[in-house]
Amino acid sequence: GAGVSQSPSNKVTEKGKDVELRCDPISGHTALYWYRQSLGQGLEFLIYFQGNSAPDKSGLPSDRFSAERTGGSVSTLTIQRTQQEDSAVYLCASSLEGGAPLHFGNGTRLTVT
Amino acid sequence: DQQVKQNSPSLSVQEGRISILNCDYTNSMFDYFLWYKKYPAEGPTFLISISSIKDKNEDGRFTVFLNKSAKHLSLHIVPSQPGDSAVYFCAATPGGYNTDKLIFGTGTRLQVFP
């Protein structure tokens, strides 16, 4: 069956440019999460969507980061004016109604040069 | 402020032996714990979990132990196999099974050699 799908798998961008990362969750999963893993670090929570509720944005590191989830399915994480410290693997996960465990995609490796 | 800590960045174990991965947490509100396994270029995959009402949960070669008074959990893999070589993440949540987010540790890289 289809798992969580993320695109692109790799993205190289120049400092100052904007990037969009896409996540297709598992069909029927109402909860969607974004995490990132920087080199040598654990998985850092960024944002959480659950159904029609207001998203939990408490993990977003700055106002350059934003995310949308359209129609309760696909999500896009946008990073504006990228900085080198934004380089990381961005992981999307989904779960059924916000219950553990989370099911992760393979991530997007973002490199800001 | 690292609420979930995995103090050993790496562990090397011989095939057939036991692998023990450790995890400590600081938030006494955490009541559900999970272990994930991650291969290079792939997302983490769920391994095993434990609720705070238990002190042990077993699934095949994998056993998780929880010591609430010490705020410590461990993952035992017996016997270890070369295919177990991966990075293992401990995660915790205060919301029980119904969680809004998981808090992850920094991971332990396990290498199982023949």
Side-chain angles (χ1 to χ4, degrees):
Chain A
V4 177
S5 177
Q6 291 187 246
S7 61
S9 55
N10 281 284
K11 176 72 177 179
V12 180
T13 190
E14 291 180 355
K15 177 182 172 181
K17 297 286 181 79
D18 297 352
V19 294
E20 284 190 353
L21 312 180
R22 178 187 167 103
C23 172
D24 283 274
I26 293 172
S27 178
H29 280 193
T30 60
L32 187 147
Y33 310 76
W34 283 97
Y35 282 81
R36 75 174 175 181
Q37 184 183 15
S38 303
L39 190 63
Q41 302 297 312
L43 278 70
E44 175 189 6
F45 167 78
L46 297 177
I47 189 169
Y48 161 64
F49 297 89
Q50 169 58 298
N52 294 322
S53 302
D56 176 355
K57 304 178 182 180
S58 61
L60 294 179
S62 79
D63 59 8
R64 296 186 295 104
F65 287 72
S66 62
E68 290 184 339
R69 188 176 185 195
T70 54
S73 181
V74 172
S75 178
T76 302
L77 177 69
T78 301
I79 309 173
Q80 296 179 310
R81 305 180 304 280
T82 52
Q83 303 294 313
Q84 288 185 331
E85 62 262 28
D86 299 335
S87 296
V89 176
Y90 288 81
L91 291 156
C92 177
S94 69
S95 73
L96 194 62
E97 300 179 356
L102 278 56
H103 301 267
F104 284 86
N106 287 338
T108 294
R109 179 175 295 279
L110 175 66
T111 304
V112 182
T113 61
Chain B
D1 177 25
Q2 193 74 25
Q3 297 185 67
V4 178
K5 302 176 185 179
Q6 295 177 257
N7 293 319
S8 297
S10 64
L11 175 68
S12 188
V13 172
Q14 189 173 30
E15 181 179 6
R17 302 286 187 120
I18 184 172
S19 295
I20 300 177
L21 297 104
N22 293 304
C23 178
D24 298 290
Y25 60 96
T26 58
N27 189 338
S28 58
M29 298 301 291
F30 288 150
D31 60 2
Y32 195 73
F33 305 88
L34 305 90
W35 284 94
Y36 279 79
K37 171 179 172 180
K38 186 181 184 301
Y39 293 118
E42 295 184 10
T45 55
F46 170 71
L47 258 184
I48 192 169
S49 63
I50 188 167
S51 165
S52 59
I53 62 174
K54 295 186 175 182
D55 55 15
K56 176 182 175 181
N57 189 25
E58 192 171 352
D59 183 2
R61 296 186 297 111
F62 301 91
T63 303
V64 56
F65 295 92
L66 175 62
N67 182 334
K68 283 198 303 181
S69 61
K71 295 191 179 69
H72 176 83
L73 66 156
S74 61
L75 175 68
H76 292 209
I77 307 174
V78 180
S80 300
Q81 300 174 353
D84 296 330
S85 297
V87 177
Y88 289 78
F89 290 96
C90 169
T93 176
Y97 173 82
N98 293 309
T99 180
D100 57 356
K101 57 181 174 279
L102 300 180
I103 308 300
F104 284 85
T106 52
T108 296
R109 181 177 302 279
L110 173 66
Q111 182 181 8
V112 180
F113 58 93

